[in-house]
Amino acid sequence: MDTFYYLIQNTLPVAIPLLLVALGGMFSERSGVINIALEGIMLFGAYFGCLFVYFIQGSGIDAQLILILAMLVAAVSGFLYSLLLSFAAINMKSDQTISGTALNMLIPAVILLFSKMYFNSDGVTTNVSFYLNKIPGLSEIPVLGKLFFQNTYITVYIGILLYIISTILLYKTKFGLRLRACGEHPHAADSVGINVHKMRYAGVSISGILGGIGGFFYAVGVMDGNTNGHTGVAGFGFLALAVMIFGQWRPGKILLAALFFAFLRTLAYSIALIPFLHNLGINNTFYKMLPYIVTMIVLAFTSKHSRAPKAEGIPYDPGAR
Amino acid sequence: MRLNIKNITKSKGFSSFTSALLAIGLGLIFGFIVMIVASPENSLSGFQMLLLGGLSRLGDVFYYATPIIMTGLAVGFAFKMGLFNIGASGQYTMGMYFALYVGFMWKPPEGVHWILCILAGLAGGMIWGFIPGFFKALLNVNEVITSIMFNYIGMYLVDMLISGNATMYVSTKARTAYLPASAQIPSLGIQNTSANISFIIAIIIAIILFIILQKTIFGYELKATGYNKHASIYAGMNGKRNIILTMVIAGGLAGLGGAFYILAPTTIPGSSMTYEPINVIAANGFNGIAVALLGSSNPIGIIFSGIFISYIQRGGTLASLFGYKPEIIDIVIAVIIYFSAFAMLMSLAIARFFKNRKVKHIDTEDIAPGSGDPVEESNEITPESDDPATESQVATTESDMPVEETGREEA
């Protein structure tokens, strides 16, 4: 039973970055822009978030407050970085996948260059402990308290809050309706006076904000408050895209998909604790491959009837018919 | 005479050449800015080294150019069909592993060993290229996601297989042993360089690909599918078979790149003949994207862009003499890719600015025929659509009417 608690407690901090970044991808794609740059945006947010923590960590501010401030920094940097994609994809009508790939390649190189020159390392190492041992009061609830309010990070609760806000934004507001229209049929949206370019900018910017936050939460929940240019975010941006596709571009299914992938990854990294799997004697590297293999199997079964936004990836051209 | 110049400047090759130059120029300028930010006092001498340093290492330029020409061809060939083969990295790694395996585990006669290794690399890449093709053609999974996933799977798999093989892996050194001499590609015999026969083979392969694309039915079908998938299926071309075939060929090209790289004899420490499993994705696969874009997916163009990228990489390595890190080149390459994705549009805009005379609009059709490049294709509609008039139209028609109403009207 303890192993089970351990797995759940460790799954949540991994699931939250996946969830947020997949939601970001969803906003971008439902506005009509394929955002493959999420990997780079995550790393950008993570790096600046950690850099902020690095400079502020000596000042004696409460760790949880630092985390929230750094989250804002990460959100702003993610937003700024996503503007590069917006500009290329919306104004310059470039191939969205190529622009995204370029942005993914740029960031690790920049981080490595500057970190090597100034910190003499591959990234930023911080020493603030964001870990929450117990939430007073709530952690006393039987079962649930142990599952959700012990040995965790504040990122889990912020993530769930952002998830609820995103769902409402997409489905219950005028903005969300317009955004979805631009991803399905931009000409129809244009004909009723929706500014397609503006909506797409908004979609990519939201994905930049969520991507930046997700990246920083990855650094907090998975990397213990550190970032480096070599491993980056270990393909989490791409996994998030797979989560989004698996979730059929819908928040509800995306949540389930994110939990599923995060559980699998946690399992892969906790093999030593599970006697049954440990005794099989399979190479550890195999378990590291597992999330990617499962992604492919899942995509093979779900993509046949894909519900992708119809206009995604196509630059909007008012003159086209 | 006047006609001649006009024909040249209006041709497709010329405009992709100018847009490549534009992207390179912007990439270098950005790199220079980064260098100034990083360390102002050394920036001028460092940048000079970056630009000209490659001249002193020409042999190595060809040595390093070979693998990225191959991955460039792998990306460019798939591009012609409208497929974005971001998985060149995984295919490259697989090719490398297969070549290593044959190099260490097989003991064929002296003369043919290295040839068998190269063929093994080809097979390894083909297998890894087949998978995204299969997923795309039969299961409708986007090849970009599949390729990325299989980059990771391939990298972990190779690292796992190599560190688990006692013959290849020397655990005290945390890397494989050096390949036996019979498995190494013969050198070109130029003194003090690592240039070898594989560079010549790469050029021959590029020329063969050029002929396939220009002169065969398969090449025609491939380009037609890149233009318009639905039209080509309607015309009776077997889309699914062509997708798989293209990806298998592209994978094979990247696999050859991996084999050429690992089998090349060199005196540069730690670069080839041995593999270090450190769970990092091969960068040469991604450099191939830059090479393909700069060469506008044309096999002949890719030869030159591959040499160019390798050239500035040498310069970037030498810039470390001034305290800069080799990553400066990765930055320059990323910026070049970013700009080349829309450089065609920019160079058109610049061209229009200069000859804004009688020829009011450079006929967009002039660019279209003969170019199968989806990147260009997506750009060629732009000259009319970036017209300020249409832009303002979009802005002025803003109103608050909800979307569902149009849906009903249309129905």
Side-chain angles (χ1 to χ4, degrees):
Chain A
M1 203 58 199
D2 276 348
T3 320
F4 176 70
Y5 282 131
Y6 173 85
L7 283 178
I8 297 297
Q9 284 164 0
N10 280 281
T11 296
L12 290 175
V14 179
I16 289 300
L18 270 183
L19 172 69
L20 291 179
V21 180
L23 283 175
M26 178 193 76
F27 272 107
S28 175
E29 299 219 348
R30 293 208 88 167
S31 79
V33 180
I34 294 179
N35 191 351
I36 209 165
L38 280 169
E39 178 92 358
I41 293 173
M42 277 182 84
L43 189 52
F44 198 74
Y47 188 70
F48 279 92
C50 289
L51 209 58
F52 177 79
V53 175
Y54 178 82
F55 284 118
I56 209 172
Q57 60 189 1
S59 61
I61 303 176
D62 178 58
Q64 303 307 325
L65 184 64
I66 292 185
L67 192 150
I68 291 172
L69 290 175
M71 180 191 91
L72 296 177
V73 172
V76 172
S77 30
F79 162 69
L80 292 176
Y81 198 55
S82 76
L83 285 180
L84 285 174
L85 177 70
S86 307
F87 174 70
I90 301 167
N91 295 88
M92 302 307 276
K93 301 185 167 66
S94 71
D95 185 306
Q96 297 166 0
T97 323
I98 295 171
S99 301
T101 306
L103 294 177
N104 285 340
M105 289 170 70
L106 181 62
I107 277 309
V110 170
I111 289 178
L112 284 174
L113 181 82
F114 282 94
S115 304
K116 278 181 181 174
M117 291 183 81
Y118 292 113
F119 299 118
N120 209 8
S121 77
D122 290 343
V124 192
T125 314
T126 64
N127 52 22
V128 182
S129 174
F130 297 117
Y131 201 61
L132 290 173
N133 243 337
K134 271 184 174 140
I135 306 247
L138 290 171
S139 61
E140 304 303 321
I141 308 170
V143 189
L144 285 183
K146 221 172 178 184
L147 279 180
F148 298 114
F149 300 106
Q150 284 186 18
N151 303 334
T152 188
Y153 292 92
I154 201 176
T155 57
V156 173
Y157 314 117
I158 301 174
I160 290 169
L161 187 70
L162 286 172
Y163 170 74
I164 295 168
I165 295 174
S166 307
T167 313
I168 294 172
L169 184 65
L170 188 70
Y171 282 125
K172 301 290 174 198
T173 63
K174 199 158 76 179
F175 170 79
L177 180 67
R178 292 179 172 187
L179 187 91
R180 283 181 284 144
C182 291
E184 291 296 333
H185 200 317
H187 291 97
D190 196 359
S191 74
V192 291
I194 296 169
N195 187 333
V196 177
H197 284 198
K198 226 186 242 173
M199 289 320 265
R200 289 194 167 175
Y201 256 97
V204 179
S205 300
I206 294 175
S207 84
I209 292 168
L210 289 174
I213 295 178
F216 179 62
F217 283 5
Y218 173 87
V220 169
V222 184
M223 303 284 288
D224 218 13
N226 307 322
T227 357
N228 73 71
H230 264 306
T231 48
V233 290
F236 256 55
F238 299 128
L239 274 179
L241 283 177
V243 164
M244 177 197 70
I245 296 173
F246 183 31
Q248 295 286 325
W249 292 265
R250 275 165 180 67
K253 287 184 177 174
I254 286 177
L255 177 65
L256 295 178
L259 288 172
F260 174 69
F261 277 105
F263 183 74
L264 218 62
R265 186 186 181 278
T266 311
L267 198 65
Y269 280 77
S270 330
I271 292 302
L273 297 171
I274 305 163
F276 164 66
L277 290 172
H278 188 61
N279 290 339
L280 289 178
I282 299 172
N283 193 321
N284 255 337
T285 319
F286 174 75
Y287 291 106
K288 290 186 186 168
M289 264 161 35
L290 201 62
Y292 304 103
I293 295 177
V294 173
T295 307
M296 286 323 302
I297 295 171
V298 163
L299 286 179
F301 285 107
T302 52
S303 288
K304 200 81 189 175
H305 307 286
S306 159
R307 300 245 194 99
K310 280 203 186 66
E312 72 165 6
I314 308 162
Y316 177 58
D317 172 12
R321 284 292 167 266
Chain B
M1 189 63 197
R2 190 172 142 262
L3 251 176
N4 250 340
I5 291 169
K6 215 173 193 181
N7 280 346
I8 292 169
T9 51
K10 274 173 80 178
S11 74
K12 178 234 160 196
F14 184 79
S15 68
S16 38
F17 181 66
T18 48
S19 51
L21 281 188
L22 195 65
I24 291 170
L26 288 167
L28 288 174
I29 291 170
F30 189 86
F32 186 47
I33 293 171
V34 170
M35 287 173 110
I36 293 174
V37 173
S39 157
E41 63 273 24
N42 293 324
S43 56
L44 263 179
S45 36
F47 189 65
Q48 197 184 354
M49 189 53 106
L50 191 153
L51 281 184
L52 303 174
L55 285 177
S56 59
R57 303 268 170 96
L58 272 183
D60 294 344
V61 168
F62 294 125
Y63 160 69
Y64 282 105
T66 315
I68 56 176
I69 286 176
M70 293 313 295
T71 50
L73 288 172
V75 177
F77 190 70
F79 250 150
K80 286 280 183 195
M81 173 133 197
L83 296 170
F84 185 39
N85 180 18
I86 197 174
S89 178
Q91 294 146 13
Y92 175 91
T93 312
M94 276 329 249
M96 207 140 85
Y97 173 73
F98 273 58
L100 274 174
Y101 187 87
V102 173
F104 280 112
M105 312 301 280
W106 291 12
K107 300 273 174 267
E110 277 282 306
V112 294
H113 195 181
W114 64 275
I115 300 176
L116 283 178
C117 289
I118 289 178
L119 291 177
L122 176 74
M126 279 177 151
I127 294 172
W128 229 240
F130 168 79
I131 299 169
F134 175 82
F135 270 77
K136 168 87 176 178
L138 299 180
L139 300 167
N140 190 27
V141 185
N142 188 319
E143 79 279 2
V144 175
I145 293 285
T146 320
S147 311
I148 290 169
M149 293 296 142
F150 274 89
N151 280 346
Y152 284 96
I153 296 173
M155 178 264 291
Y156 281 126
L157 185 67
V158 167
D159 285 5
M160 182 171 103
L161 290 173
I162 282 188
S163 48
N165 186 321
T167 322
M168 295 178 172
Y169 190 63
V170 186
S171 49
T172 47
K173 286 183 188 161
R175 50 166 61 232
T176 67
Y178 279 86
L179 277 167
S182 63
Q184 293 173 11
I185 299 173
S187 157
L188 273 178
I190 306 167
Q191 284 256 304
N192 295 328
T193 72
S194 309
N196 56 73
I197 287 183
S198 64
F199 180 69
I200 311 284
I201 306 176
I203 289 181
I204 294 171
I205 292 173
I207 293 170
I208 294 173
L209 282 180
F210 182 76
I211 295 169
I212 289 179
L213 282 170
Q214 300 298 331
K215 302 286 176 201
T216 66
I217 296 173
F218 172 65
Y220 179 81
E221 290 196 353
L222 200 125
K223 286 188 289 180
T225 315
Y227 269 139
N228 189 334
K229 198 173 77 185
H230 304 291
S232 64
I233 293 170
Y234 186 70
M237 297 170 191
N238 188 341
K240 290 183 175 177
R241 192 204 64 183
N242 282 350
I243 285 175
I244 295 179
L245 201 55
T246 307
M247 283 308 292
V248 168
I249 294 174
L253 292 168
L256 278 179
F260 287 162
Y261 178 71
I262 202 80
L263 299 171
T266 176
T267 47
I268 304 164
S271 51
S272 63
M273 302 184 296
T274 167
Y275 178 83
E276 197 180 4
I278 44 170
N279 287 12
V280 168
I281 288 195
N284 272 345
F286 290 96
N287 291 337
I289 300 171
V291 171
L293 281 171
L294 276 184
S296 67
S297 304
N298 180 318
I300 308 298
I302 286 170
I303 298 174
F304 291 103
S305 61
I307 294 172
F308 171 75
I309 295 277
S310 167
Y311 172 82
I312 57 164
Q313 276 178 335
R314 291 316 95 222
T317 317
L318 288 171
S320 60
L321 294 176
F322 297 97
Y324 293 100
K325 302 294 168 191
E327 278 79 17
I328 184 75
I329 286 305
D330 296 333
I331 296 177
V332 172
I333 291 175
V335 175
I336 289 177
I337 299 184
Y338 180 75
F339 282 116
S340 50
F342 55 78
M344 205 69 163
L345 179 67
M346 284 195 298
S347 69
L348 272 178
I350 292 170
R352 245 191 328 177
F353 179 76
F354 280 116
K355 35 181 165 176
N356 204 0
R357 294 176 317 209
K358 294 170 229 164
V359 199
K360 193 74 182 166
H361 54 91
I362 303 164
D363 279 347
T364 46
E365 293 93 321
D366 276 352
I367 309 155
S371 80
D373 194 335
V375 191
E376 291 157 22
E377 206 195 7
S378 63
N379 282 340
E380 87 200 13
I381 33 164
T382 44
E384 16 172 322
S385 56
D386 67 338
D387 197 339
T390 42
E391 291 270 352
S392 57
Q393 209 181 359
V394 179
T396 47
T397 46
E398 173 83 36
S399 90
D400 278 341
M401 209 185 297
V403 193
E404 293 116 314
E405 290 196 12
T406 36
R408 261 180 244 129
E409 271 168 32
E410 282 189 348

